[in-house]
Amino acid sequence: MPEVCCAGSTPGCRICSVPSTTFACLHNVPLSPVTAPDCRSRLSAQPVSHCLLAEVPTFKTHPCPQSLALFQEHNHRRQTCSLFAKPLCQGLSCFAAICDLRAPRMKGLFYDDSALESCRWGEFLPGAQSTGGRGLRTLALVSSLVPTWPRMDVNKGLPAIDSHRDLHVWIIENLRMEPVPEKAYGNFFEEHCYIVLHVPQSLKATQGACSDLHYWAGKEAGAEAQDAAEAFVQRLQEALGGATVQHREAQGHESDCFRSYFRPGIIYRRGGLASALTHMETNLYNIQRLLHVQGRKHVSATEVELSWSSFNKGDIFLLDLGKVMIQWNGPETSIPEKARGLALTCSLRDRERGGRAQIGVVDDEVEATDLMRIMEAVLGCRVGNLPATRPDKSVNQLQKASVRLYHVCEKDDDLVIQELATCPLTQDLLREEDYYILDQGGFKIYVWQGRLSSLQEKKAAFSRALGFIQAKGYPTYTNVEVVNDGAESASFKQLFQSWSTKQRGNKSFGRLSKSIQVRPDVGKLQSRPELAAQLRMVDDASGKVEVWCIQDLGRRPVDPKRHAQLCAGNCYLVLYAYQRMGHVQYILYLWRGHRATTRDVKALNCNAEELDLMYQGALVQEHVTMGSEPPHFLAIFQGQLVVFQGHTGHDGKEQPAPATRLFHVQGTDSCNTRTVEVPARASALNSHDIFLLVTASVCYLWFGKGCSGDQREMARTAVSAVSGENKETVLEGQEPPGFWEALGGRAPYPGNKRLPEDVSGFQPRLFECSSHMGHLVLTEMVFFSQEDLDKYDIMLLDTWQEIFLWLGEAASKWKKEAVDWGQEYLKTHPAGRSPATPIVVIKQGHEPPTFTGWFLAWDPYKWTNDQSYKEVVDGSLGAMPAICEITAELNDFQLSRGPSNGGADPLTLQTLKGSQDGSGNELQPGPKAGDASTNSHHSSPRPTINGSLPRERLMHQAVEDLPEGVDPARKEFYLSDSDFQEIFGKSKEEFYSMAKWRQQQEKKQLGFF
């Protein structure tokens, strides 16, 4: 067998960067060529053991293959194996299974020792043999001189996991997993790796939701820490079992799932961490840093150089000076970006400063002169113009639409990756004994592991995915998600046309699907919105109904007697009014026939907008296509909906009907029955359905052999509007001659049953919508809640059977674009979704239970006192100055202009730095964002209060009775910590981390509002 480097297409070894002809993969033994990009080759000699890292057989001449030495670069303290804590042996045995490392990690491993001056991976000591085991002899000589390195504690017990907490975060420090304090969640040091475990609490019992296990690598993290993180993730995965989805995350390119854990955002911190116990210190004021804030729904803040050169026109920058936090908004930033940036700023103040820091906002540099003076004192005078907004690298839906499935297997000791299928994919392509890679347009790589796939394959999942990424030329930060058979994530399932959990043996989902198919108890819909959402019924359909037909660009009322009779060539508006919680609510159905013209469809939308204006924007609008009517729409007509071919003329009359007509009756109850006219020929029949054949002399009600009793009973009622009482019942196989004559003679017809679409395997998903370069961009909110809905948002909720588009109060003007986005979402969906899927448009404050029922909890009063961004910044709560004095010390500053090169005067910086020292008790109480004291323009002096005040002077006191200097919007802040804990039952940090509306509610109850 020829001597070949295992790097495959690379001319040299990926680990040692030495040409294969000189030294093949550290072992200098004959290796078989493989397609795997990492050092995982089978050795030609008979193995005696396997490498636990990458399942590579170790060379049999190693005396102790258990040592598994894993070498890294430039670390002088190791005395045991870094991965499995096995003691390193002397001599040859130290070098068992050096594998699965990527260049250039092995470069420079050995140091400039006099005995090793000429020894590198491909060079040999003087006197070493030139054939046979020359590489092993070289390694043996080197082994006794390996420096002492720190051990990695993976053999110790895994950290305890609190079953009552949903989120756990660990930092890799000194090759150990150290827990990160909860207050520091969302802070990540760039030189470290982290492990994040999420176990959803509320969904676990009801839907069997999977856990998510992530390892995160900072952009400056060393190879040793990354390998340690991978090893720990592997051990955690084994301990947690197969119902865990594994993720690989890279700084700045995290998945939406990862970002959803950390709200209002992620903070990237420079450098490393000396100790995990000091991951974040509360009430630390001796600080100067500049944070670059980016993102729409998922916000991140990166620590950048403290200089004007870090700024640009399109982003937000936060100058954090300890007691003072100044948010500078670029002139090209949008209001939603400013609002979310401010939410992150407030979160930093409350978590890291105990709520005591003062916040200023610069929206207009000309007006915010005092705040700009402070910024220039730190950053110096700005020279030149700011650079333009950096290009947005968001991945649009069109880019995500391409999916390719690859089958991975071994053949003759080679790793073979073969393309199997492209979109649309079907679930039956995945076999439980195999292993697959799914490529979503280079945006994300999924690895699917069948339940019968080998342990070796499962352990090599990440390394194979990374090799695939490199072979494809994708960026190294491409996200990787590893899913197990039966424990797939929602995003993975939705890449397939359909997904059945019953096919995979999940009995709980089967019971749910069966329960939805039985006749619903509509009496519980008012009290159980989750049932209303599953059944797609807002009520029992007993409300008031109005119907209009679109004609000549206008709408013509339809006679109530003919409400249930529609024409395929027309469009209709169906307005439904019902009572809920003492209020009248409305749903406007926009029904479009298959043969409707583009002109009629445009007129349908225009007339819907006119009606919406008449009802002051209170209409929930649902776009419905013929044949895809939702259950509630069908229930409105009590199962008697009939759709005729043709269209209604200008005079309101239908076209002349042909002498023979055939109607297809489908359904078992009033919520799923429709009657549709089809071509009158025998091939249109189906043995499992019911048809009504209307002729000039007689009507035949034809029952197929496979139809059920419920179908027959419902059909007799449904066809009464077409046939009247004069109809003849005909059973399949017993048709009279006149039946076939009316259909033009006998003809073959299908006998297979049309099975309903199985949606039990799909979970609802919530996305924020935006547009980039004319294409839809979606950001997913995983584990969503009502808190994810903001007045500036356009949100898309995909329940698979319906698409909901939620428009925030400040985004209602984008309604037309929202409908277009919903249609683009269906068109570009990789699963090949039906464009006839109903699209429901909902405005903030008018949510039906079919929407709210998908949320775990819903508060209809959440937005009662909601403020706009401008109200938050300007202050809407009281007669206070535009902004509180930032700190008493700032009054004494002699802020000077920086030198001409743009830097700050050192004396000025020292003065400002000194002002940040001191205890929090000496600091003037600070305003919370959204209150009257946060402002973008002024920083005028006001009396300050040092320390705390007695509760009697604050509780139930009018504004004019408060002590001078007290902010009436934050009276509770002036309490001592002990009084605050006693009155509110929680600390100030806990209180300010709550949603603002909950804070206001508690303050009203306790006399601090």
Side-chain angles (χ1 to χ4, degrees), residues 312-351:
N312 67 69
K313 296 179 180 179
D315 290 326
I316 295 171
F317 293 83
L318 175 62
L319 181 60
D320 184 2
L321 303 176
K323 293 181 180 180
V324 181
M325 305 177 79
I326 302 176
Q327 177 176 320
W328 183 93
N329 298 325
E332 296 177 4
T333 53
S334 65
I335 292 180
E337 290 173 323
K338 295 176 183 179
R340 287 160 189 162
L342 187 56
L344 178 63
T345 301
C346 295
S347 175
L348 285 173
R349 178 196 62 186
D350 295 338
R351 289 192 301 166

Coordinates of all heavy atoms in Angstrom, one line a residue, residues 312-351:
N312 N -19.5 54.1 12.9 CA -20.0 54.3 11.5 C -21.4 54.9 11.6 O -22.0 54.9 12.7 CB -20.0 53.0 10.8 CG -20.9 51.9 11.3 OD1 -22.2 52.1 11.2 ND2 -20.4 50.9 11.9
K313 N -22.0 55.2 10.5 CA -23.3 55.9 10.5 C -24.5 55.0 10.7 O -25.5 55.5 11.1 CB -23.5 56.6 9.1 CG -22.5 57.7 8.8 CD -22.8 58.4 7.5 CE -21.8 59.5 7.2 NZ -22.0 60.1 5.8
G314 N -24.3 53.7 10.5 CA -25.5 52.9 10.5 C -25.7 52.0 11.7 O -26.6 51.2 11.8
D315 N -24.8 52.1 12.8 CA -24.9 51.3 13.9 C -25.0 52.1 15.2 O -24.9 53.4 15.2 CB -23.7 50.3 14.0 CG -23.7 49.3 12.9 OD1 -24.9 48.8 12.6 OD2 -22.7 48.9 12.4
I316 N -25.1 51.4 16.3 CA -25.2 52.1 17.6 C -24.0 51.8 18.4 O -23.4 50.6 18.4 CB -26.5 51.5 18.4 CG1 -27.7 52.0 17.6 CG2 -26.5 52.0 19.8 CD1 -29.0 51.3 18.1
F317 N -23.5 52.7 19.2 CA -22.3 52.6 20.0 C -22.6 53.0 21.4 O -23.2 54.1 21.6 CB -21.1 53.4 19.4 CG -20.7 52.8 18.1 CD1 -21.3 53.2 16.9 CD2 -19.6 51.9 18.0 CE1 -21.0 52.6 15.7 CE2 -19.2 51.4 16.8 CZ -19.9 51.8 15.6
L318 N -22.1 52.3 22.3 CA -22.4 52.5 23.8 C -21.1 52.8 24.4 O -20.2 52.0 24.5 CB -23.1 51.4 24.4 CG -23.3 51.5 25.9 CD1 -24.2 52.7 26.3 CD2 -23.9 50.2 26.5
L319 N -20.9 54.1 24.9 CA -19.8 54.5 25.7 C -20.1 54.3 27.1 O -20.9 55.0 27.7 CB -19.4 55.9 25.4 CG -18.2 56.5 26.1 CD1 -16.9 55.7 25.7 CD2 -18.0 58.0 25.8
D320 N -19.4 53.3 27.7 CA -19.7 52.9 29.1 C -18.6 53.4 30.0 O -17.4 53.0 29.9 CB -19.8 51.3 29.2 CG -20.1 50.9 30.6 OD1 -20.3 51.7 31.5 OD2 -20.2 49.6 30.8
L321 N -18.9 54.4 30.9 CA -18.0 55.0 31.7 C -18.2 54.7 33.2 O -17.8 55.4 34.1 CB -18.0 56.5 31.6 CG -17.7 57.0 30.1 CD1 -17.8 58.5 30.0 CD2 -16.3 56.6 29.7
G322 N -18.9 53.6 33.5 CA -19.2 53.2 34.8 C -20.4 53.8 35.4 O -21.5 53.2 35.4
K323 N -20.3 55.0 35.9 CA -21.5 55.7 36.4 C -22.3 56.4 35.3 O -23.5 56.7 35.5 CB -21.1 56.8 37.4 CG -20.5 56.3 38.7 CD -20.1 57.4 39.6 CE -19.5 56.9 40.9 NZ -19.2 58.0 41.8
V324 N -21.7 56.5 34.1 CA -22.3 57.2 33.0 C -22.3 56.2 31.8 O -21.3 55.6 31.5 CB -21.6 58.5 32.6 CG1 -22.2 59.1 31.4 CG2 -21.4 59.4 33.8
M325 N -23.5 56.1 31.1 CA -23.6 55.2 29.9 C -24.2 56.1 28.9 O -25.4 56.5 29.0 CB -24.4 54.0 30.2 CG -23.8 53.2 31.4 SD -24.8 51.7 31.8 CE -24.3 50.6 30.6
I326 N -23.5 56.3 27.8 CA -24.0 57.2 26.7 C -24.2 56.3 25.5 O -23.3 55.7 24.9 CB -23.0 58.3 26.4 CG1 -22.8 59.1 27.6 CG2 -23.6 59.2 25.3 CD1 -21.7 60.2 27.5
Q327 N -25.5 56.2 25.0 CA -25.8 55.5 23.8 C -25.8 56.5 22.6 O -26.7 57.4 22.6 CB -27.1 54.8 23.9 CG -27.6 54.1 22.6 CD -28.8 53.3 22.8 OE1 -29.1 52.7 23.8 NE2 -29.7 53.3 21.8
W328 N -24.9 56.3 21.7 CA -24.8 57.1 20.5 C -25.4 56.3 19.3 O -25.0 55.2 19.0 CB -23.3 57.4 20.2 CG -23.1 58.3 19.0 CD1 -23.0 59.7 19.0 CD2 -22.9 57.9 17.6 NE1 -22.7 60.1 17.7 CE2 -22.7 59.1 16.9 CE3 -23.0 56.7 17.0 CZ2 -22.5 59.0 15.5 CZ3 -22.8 56.6 15.6 CH2 -22.5 57.8 14.9
N329 N -26.5 56.9 18.7 CA -27.2 56.3 17.6 C -26.8 56.9 16.3 O -26.9 58.1 16.1 CB -28.7 56.5 17.8 CG -29.3 55.8 19.1 OD1 -28.8 54.8 19.5 ND2 -30.3 56.4 19.7
G330 N -26.3 56.0 15.4 CA -25.9 56.5 14.1 C -27.1 57.1 13.4 O -28.2 56.7 13.5
P331 N -26.8 58.1 12.5 CA -27.9 58.8 11.8 C -28.7 57.9 10.9 O -29.8 58.3 10.5 CB -27.2 59.9 11.0 CG -25.7 59.5 10.9 CD -25.5 58.7 12.2
E332 N -28.2 56.8 10.5 CA -28.9 55.9 9.6 C -29.6 54.7 10.3 O -30.1 53.8 9.7 CB -27.9 55.3 8.5 CG -27.4 56.4 7.6 CD -26.3 55.9 6.7 OE1 -26.2 54.6 6.6 OE2 -25.7 56.7 5.9
T333 N -29.6 54.7 11.6 CA -30.2 53.6 12.4 C -31.7 53.8 12.4 O -32.2 55.0 12.5 CB -29.7 53.5 13.8 OG1 -29.8 54.8 14.4 CG2 -28.2 53.1 13.8
S334 N -32.4 52.7 12.5 CA -33.9 52.8 12.5 C -34.4 52.9 14.0 O -33.6 52.6 14.9 CB -34.5 51.6 11.9 OG -34.2 50.4 12.6
I335 N -35.6 53.3 14.1 CA -36.2 53.4 15.5 C -36.2 52.0 16.2 O -35.9 52.0 17.4 CB -37.6 54.0 15.4 CG1 -37.5 55.5 15.0 CG2 -38.3 53.9 16.7 CD1 -38.9 56.2 14.9
P336 N -36.6 50.9 15.5 CA -36.5 49.6 16.2 C -35.1 49.3 16.7 O -34.9 48.8 17.8 CB -37.0 48.6 15.2 CG -37.8 49.4 14.3 CD -37.2 50.8 14.2
E337 N -34.1 49.6 15.9 CA -32.7 49.4 16.3 C -32.3 50.2 17.5 O -31.7 49.8 18.5 CB -31.7 49.7 15.2 CG -31.8 48.6 14.0 CD -31.0 49.0 12.8 OE1 -30.9 50.2 12.5 OE2 -30.4 48.1 12.2
K338 N -32.8 51.5 17.5 CA -32.5 52.4 18.7 C -33.2 51.8 19.9 O -32.6 51.8 21.0 CB -33.0 53.8 18.4 CG -32.2 54.5 17.2 CD -32.8 55.8 17.0 CE -32.2 56.5 15.8 NZ -32.8 57.8 15.5
A339 N -34.4 51.4 19.8 CA -35.2 50.9 20.9 C -34.5 49.7 21.5 O -34.4 49.5 22.8 CB -36.6 50.6 20.5
R340 N -34.1 48.7 20.7 CA -33.5 47.5 21.2 C -32.1 47.8 21.7 O -31.7 47.1 22.7 CB -33.5 46.5 20.1 CG -34.9 45.9 19.8 CD -35.0 45.3 18.4 NE -36.4 45.0 18.1 CZ -36.9 44.8 16.9 NH1 -36.0 44.8 15.9 NH2 -38.1 44.5 16.7
G341 N -31.4 48.7 21.1 CA -30.1 49.1 21.7 C -30.3 49.7 23.1 O -29.5 49.4 24.0
L342 N -31.4 50.5 23.3 CA -31.6 51.1 24.6 C -32.0 50.0 25.6 O -31.7 50.1 26.8 CB -32.7 52.1 24.5 CG -33.0 53.0 25.7 CD1 -31.8 53.7 26.2 CD2 -34.2 54.0 25.4
A343 N -32.7 49.0 25.2 CA -33.1 47.9 26.1 C -31.8 47.2 26.5 O -31.7 46.8 27.7 CB -34.0 46.9 25.3
L344 N -30.8 47.0 25.6 CA -29.6 46.4 26.1 C -28.8 47.3 27.0 O -28.3 46.8 28.0 CB -28.7 46.1 24.8 CG -27.4 45.5 25.1 CD1 -27.5 44.1 25.7 CD2 -26.6 45.4 23.8
T345 N -28.8 48.6 26.7 CA -28.1 49.5 27.6 C -28.7 49.5 29.0 O -28.0 49.4 30.0 CB -28.2 50.9 27.1 OG1 -27.7 51.0 25.8 CG2 -27.5 51.9 28.0
C346 N -30.1 49.5 29.1 CA -30.7 49.4 30.4 C -30.4 48.1 31.1 O -30.3 48.1 32.3 CB -32.2 49.6 30.2 SG -32.7 51.2 29.6
S347 N -30.4 47.0 30.4 CA -30.1 45.7 31.0 C -28.7 45.7 31.6 O -28.4 45.2 32.7 CB -30.2 44.6 29.9 OG -29.8 43.4 30.4
L348 N -27.7 46.3 30.8 CA -26.3 46.4 31.4 C -26.3 47.2 32.7 O -25.6 46.9 33.6 CB -25.4 47.0 30.3 CG -25.0 46.1 29.2 CD1 -24.2 47.0 28.1 CD2 -24.1 45.0 29.7
R349 N -27.0 48.3 32.6 CA -27.1 49.2 33.8 C -27.7 48.4 35.0 O -27.1 48.5 36.1 CB -27.9 50.4 33.6 CG -28.1 51.3 34.8 CD -29.2 52.3 34.6 NE -30.5 51.6 34.5 CZ -31.6 52.2 34.2 NH1 -31.7 53.5 34.0 NH2 -32.8 51.5 34.1
D350 N -28.8 47.7 34.8 CA -29.4 47.0 35.9 C -28.6 45.8 36.4 O -28.6 45.6 37.6 CB -30.8 46.6 35.5 CG -31.7 47.8 35.2 OD1 -31.4 48.9 35.7 OD2 -32.7 47.6 34.5
R351 N -28.0 45.1 35.5 CA -27.3 43.9 35.9 C -25.9 44.2 36.5 O -25.5 43.6 37.4 CB -27.2 42.9 34.7 CG -28.5 42.3 34.3 CD -28.3 41.1 33.4 NE -27.6 41.5 32.2 CZ -27.0 40.7 31.3 NH1 -27.1 39.4 31.5 NH2 -26.5 41.1 30.2

